[in-house]
mmCIF file with all atom_site columns, all heavy atoms in Angstrom:
data_model
loop_
_atom_site.group_PDB
_atom_site.id
_atom_site.type_symbol
_atom_site.label_atom_id
_atom_site.label_alt_id
_atom_site.label_comp_id
_atom_site.label_asym_id
_atom_site.label_entity_id
_atom_site.label_seq_id
_atom_site.pdbx_PDB_ins_code
_atom_site.Cartn_x
_atom_site.Cartn_y
_atom_site.Cartn_z
_atom_site.occupancy
_atom_site.B_iso_or_equiv
_atom_site.pdbx_formal_charge
_atom_site.auth_seq_id
_atom_site.auth_comp_id
_atom_site.auth_asym_id
_atom_site.auth_atom_id
_atom_site.pdbx_PDB_model_num
ATOM 1  N N   . GLN A 1 9  ? 152.821 -99.097  -21.819 1.00 94.00 ? 79  GLN A N   1
ATOM 2  C CA  . GLN A 1 9  ? 151.576 -99.696  -22.313 1.00 94.00 ? 79  GLN A CA  1
ATOM 3  C C   . GLN A 1 9  ? 150.378 -99.188  -21.531 1.00 94.00 ? 79  GLN A C   1
ATOM 4  O O   . GLN A 1 9  ? 149.299 -99.000  -22.088 1.00 94.00 ? 79  GLN A O   1
ATOM 5  C CB  . GLN A 1 9  ? 151.641 -101.217 -22.191 1.00 94.00 ? 79  GLN A CB  1
ATOM 6  C CG  . GLN A 1 9  ? 152.447 -101.881 -23.277 1.00 94.00 ? 79  GLN A CG  1
ATOM 7  C CD  . GLN A 1 9  ? 152.214 -103.378 -23.316 1.00 94.00 ? 79  GLN A CD  1
ATOM 8  O OE1 . GLN A 1 9  ? 151.999 -103.992 -22.275 1.00 94.00 ? 79  GLN A OE1 1
ATOM 9  N NE2 . GLN A 1 9  ? 152.249 -103.960 -24.488 1.00 94.00 ? 79  GLN A NE2 1
ATOM 10 N N   . ALA A 1 13 ? 147.710 -91.540  -13.991 1.00 97.00 ? 83  ALA A N   1
ATOM 11 C CA  . ALA A 1 13 ? 148.231 -90.265  -13.505 1.00 97.00 ? 83  ALA A CA  1
ATOM 12 C C   . ALA A 1 13 ? 147.170 -89.546  -12.685 1.00 97.00 ? 83  ALA A C   1
ATOM 13 O O   . ALA A 1 13 ? 145.966 -89.769  -12.864 1.00 97.00 ? 83  ALA A O   1
ATOM 14 C CB  . ALA A 1 13 ? 148.668 -89.389  -14.687 1.00 97.00 ? 83  ALA A CB  1
ATOM 15 N N   . TRP A 1 34 ? 149.707 -89.344  -34.301 1.00 96.00 ? 104 TRP A N   1
ATOM 16 C CA  . TRP A 1 34 ? 149.223 -89.695  -32.965 1.00 96.00 ? 104 TRP A CA  1
ATOM 17 C C   . TRP A 1 34 ? 147.697 -89.725  -33.016 1.00 96.00 ? 104 TRP A C   1
ATOM 18 O O   . TRP A 1 34 ? 147.061 -88.774  -33.470 1.00 96.00 ? 104 TRP A O   1
ATOM 19 C CB  . TRP A 1 34 ? 149.697 -88.704  -31.915 1.00 96.00 ? 104 TRP A CB  1
ATOM 20 C CG  . TRP A 1 34 ? 151.118 -88.924  -31.483 1.00 96.00 ? 104 TRP A CG  1
ATOM 21 C CD1 . TRP A 1 34 ? 152.208 -88.220  -31.864 1.00 96.00 ? 104 TRP A CD1 1
ATOM 22 C CD2 . TRP A 1 34 ? 151.585 -89.929  -30.569 1.00 96.00 ? 104 TRP A CD2 1
ATOM 23 N NE1 . TRP A 1 34 ? 153.336 -88.723  -31.259 1.00 96.00 ? 104 TRP A NE1 1
ATOM 24 C CE2 . TRP A 1 34 ? 152.984 -89.766  -30.464 1.00 96.00 ? 104 TRP A CE2 1
ATOM 25 C CE3 . TRP A 1 34 ? 150.968 -90.947  -29.842 1.00 96.00 ? 104 TRP A CE3 1
ATOM 26 C CZ2 . TRP A 1 34 ? 153.778 -90.589  -29.659 1.00 96.00 ? 104 TRP A CZ2 1
ATOM 27 C CZ3 . TRP A 1 34 ? 151.743 -91.763  -29.038 1.00 96.00 ? 104 TRP A CZ3 1
ATOM 28 C CH2 . TRP A 1 34 ? 153.130 -91.585  -28.949 1.00 96.00 ? 104 TRP A CH2 1
ATOM 29 N N   . LEU A 1 46 ? 145.087 -86.885  -33.723 1.00 94.00 ? 116 LEU A N   1
ATOM 30 C CA  . LEU A 1 46 ? 145.500 -85.729  -32.937 1.00 94.00 ? 116 LEU A CA  1
ATOM 31 C C   . LEU A 1 46 ? 146.549 -84.905  -33.679 1.00 94.00 ? 116 LEU A C   1
ATOM 32 O O   . LEU A 1 46 ? 146.464 -83.684  -33.729 1.00 94.00 ? 116 LEU A O   1
ATOM 33 C CB  . LEU A 1 46 ? 146.081 -86.191  -31.598 1.00 94.00 ? 116 LEU A CB  1
ATOM 34 C CG  . LEU A 1 46 ? 145.150 -86.923  -30.645 1.00 94.00 ? 116 LEU A CG  1
ATOM 35 C CD1 . LEU A 1 46 ? 145.936 -87.404  -29.425 1.00 94.00 ? 116 LEU A CD1 1
ATOM 36 C CD2 . LEU A 1 46 ? 144.001 -86.016  -30.214 1.00 94.00 ? 116 LEU A CD2 1
ATOM 37 N N   . SER A 1 50 ? 156.045 -84.629  -39.443 1.00 90.00 ? 120 SER A N   1
ATOM 38 C CA  . SER A 1 50 ? 157.201 -85.234  -40.096 1.00 90.00 ? 120 SER A CA  1
ATOM 39 C C   . SER A 1 50 ? 158.503 -84.622  -39.608 1.00 90.00 ? 120 SER A C   1
ATOM 40 O O   . SER A 1 50 ? 159.581 -85.111  -39.946 1.00 90.00 ? 120 SER A O   1
ATOM 41 C CB  . SER A 1 50 ? 157.096 -85.095  -41.616 1.00 90.00 ? 120 SER A CB  1
ATOM 42 O OG  . SER A 1 50 ? 156.916 -83.747  -41.966 1.00 90.00 ? 120 SER A OG  1
ATOM 43 N N   . SER A 1 51 ? 158.411 -83.556  -38.829 1.00 91.00 ? 121 SER A N   1
ATOM 44 C CA  . SER A 1 51 ? 159.610 -82.968  -38.240 1.00 91.00 ? 121 SER A CA  1
ATOM 45 C C   . SER A 1 51 ? 159.190 -82.030  -37.114 1.00 91.00 ? 121 SER A C   1
ATOM 46 O O   . SER A 1 51 ? 158.046 -81.535  -37.089 1.00 91.00 ? 121 SER A O   1
ATOM 47 C CB  . SER A 1 51 ? 160.415 -82.189  -39.281 1.00 91.00 ? 121 SER A CB  1
ATOM 48 O OG  . SER A 1 51 ? 159.669 -81.084  -39.735 1.00 91.00 ? 121 SER A OG  1
ATOM 49 N N   . LYS A 1 53 ? 157.971 -80.100  -34.013 1.00 95.00 ? 123 LYS A N   1
ATOM 50 C CA  . LYS A 1 53 ? 157.062 -80.098  -32.876 1.00 95.00 ? 123 LYS A CA  1
ATOM 51 C C   . LYS A 1 53 ? 155.749 -79.464  -33.294 1.00 95.00 ? 123 LYS A C   1
ATOM 52 O O   . LYS A 1 53 ? 155.720 -78.538  -34.086 1.00 95.00 ? 123 LYS A O   1
ATOM 53 C CB  . LYS A 1 53 ? 157.730 -79.285  -31.762 1.00 95.00 ? 123 LYS A CB  1
ATOM 54 C CG  . LYS A 1 53 ? 156.940 -79.028  -30.510 1.00 95.00 ? 123 LYS A CG  1
ATOM 55 C CD  . LYS A 1 53 ? 157.825 -78.194  -29.558 1.00 95.00 ? 123 LYS A CD  1
ATOM 56 C CE  . LYS A 1 53 ? 157.090 -77.748  -28.320 1.00 95.00 ? 123 LYS A CE  1
ATOM 57 N NZ  . LYS A 1 53 ? 157.962 -76.966  -27.418 1.00 95.00 ? 123 LYS A NZ  1
ATOM 58 N N   . ILE A 1 63 ? 158.967 -84.928  -32.688 1.00 97.00 ? 133 ILE A N   1
ATOM 59 C CA  . ILE A 1 63 ? 159.556 -86.032  -33.423 1.00 97.00 ? 133 ILE A CA  1
ATOM 60 C C   . ILE A 1 63 ? 161.020 -85.749  -33.692 1.00 97.00 ? 133 ILE A C   1
ATOM 61 O O   . ILE A 1 63 ? 161.401 -84.604  -33.974 1.00 97.00 ? 133 ILE A O   1
ATOM 62 C CB  . ILE A 1 63 ? 158.797 -86.318  -34.743 1.00 97.00 ? 133 ILE A CB  1
ATOM 63 C CG1 . ILE A 1 63 ? 159.315 -87.603  -35.392 1.00 97.00 ? 133 ILE A CG1 1
ATOM 64 C CG2 . ILE A 1 63 ? 158.892 -85.140  -35.706 1.00 97.00 ? 133 ILE A CG2 1
ATOM 65 C CD1 . ILE A 1 63 ? 158.443 -88.095  -36.538 1.00 97.00 ? 133 ILE A CD1 1
ATOM 66 N N   . SER A 1 70 ? 159.364 -90.384  -31.303 1.00 98.00 ? 140 SER A N   1
ATOM 67 C CA  . SER A 1 70 ? 158.395 -89.308  -31.118 1.00 98.00 ? 140 SER A CA  1
ATOM 68 C C   . SER A 1 70 ? 157.833 -89.385  -29.708 1.00 98.00 ? 140 SER A C   1
ATOM 69 O O   . SER A 1 70 ? 157.784 -90.473  -29.104 1.00 98.00 ? 140 SER A O   1
ATOM 70 C CB  . SER A 1 70 ? 157.261 -89.428  -32.131 1.00 98.00 ? 140 SER A CB  1
ATOM 71 O OG  . SER A 1 70 ? 156.238 -88.472  -31.882 1.00 98.00 ? 140 SER A OG  1
#
Side-chain angles (χ1 to χ4, degrees):
Chain A
Q79 281 194 326
W104 281 102
L116 297 175
S120 55
S121 65
K123 175 180 174 179
I133 188 169
S140 174

